[in-house]
Amino acid sequence: MRVIIEPDYENMSRWAAEYVAAKINAANPTPQKPFKLGCPTGSSPLGLYKHLIEMHKTGKVSFQNVITFNMDEYVGSSIPILISNDACGEKLIFAPEVAITLSPLPLLSK
């Protein structure tokens, strides 16, 4: 295992986004062989998602032929729908200008 230490959250988020983008670009995903990306939840990955969106807007990574899977979701909870993974994903990384493909698999919470 390799441990990466960055001086702060911003640098860590940027490093993680560059790492994910490099993996996507190296895979050269196609419709027949899409890249599969598990998306963690909570506030920790928000900086990563922000940087991935910026990288997409500047042409450094494409989410065409990328399929995402939420790693967990609020099931049977009274937590407001506004902070569920579906809602966060739609606001952050699944915005129309990013054009990422949502997994065709149904969520267990639905």
Side-chain angles (χ1 to χ4, degrees):
M1 177 171 62
R2 184 170 72 154
V3 177
I4 306 299
I5 298 173
E6 290 291 334
D8 55 33
Y9 177 80
E10 181 66 23
N11 284 301
M12 181 272 305
S13 297
R14 184 177 299 107
W15 186 94
E18 289 171 358
Y19 181 85
V20 170
K23 292 294 184 182
I24 293 170
N25 291 336
N28 194 24
T30 65
Q32 296 76 26
K33 190 177 176 191
F35 188 89
K36 294 158 192 88
L37 179 64
C39 294
T41 62
S43 60
S44 296
L46 295 181
L48 161 71
Y49 299 149
K50 180 186 94 170
H51 287 291
L52 284 173
I53 291 168
E54 289 172 6
M55 293 175 78
H56 169 76
K57 288 179 178 179
T58 60
K60 294 179 181 172
V61 67
S62 170
F63 293 103
Q64 185 174 7
N65 302 314
V66 173
I67 297 174
T68 65
F69 297 89
N70 287 341
M71 294 176 75
D72 57 358
E73 181 57 272
Y74 300 103
V75 177
S77 173
S78 61
I79 294 179
I81 194 68
L82 294 176
I83 63 168
S84 75
N85 292 336
D86 281 346
C88 289
E90 287 174 18
K91 286 188 286 188
L92 294 170
I93 200 166
F94 308 125
E97 67 272 13
V98 177
I100 196 167
T101 302
L102 294 172
S103 167
L105 301 174
L107 290 175
L108 296 175
S109 62
K110 293 184 179 180

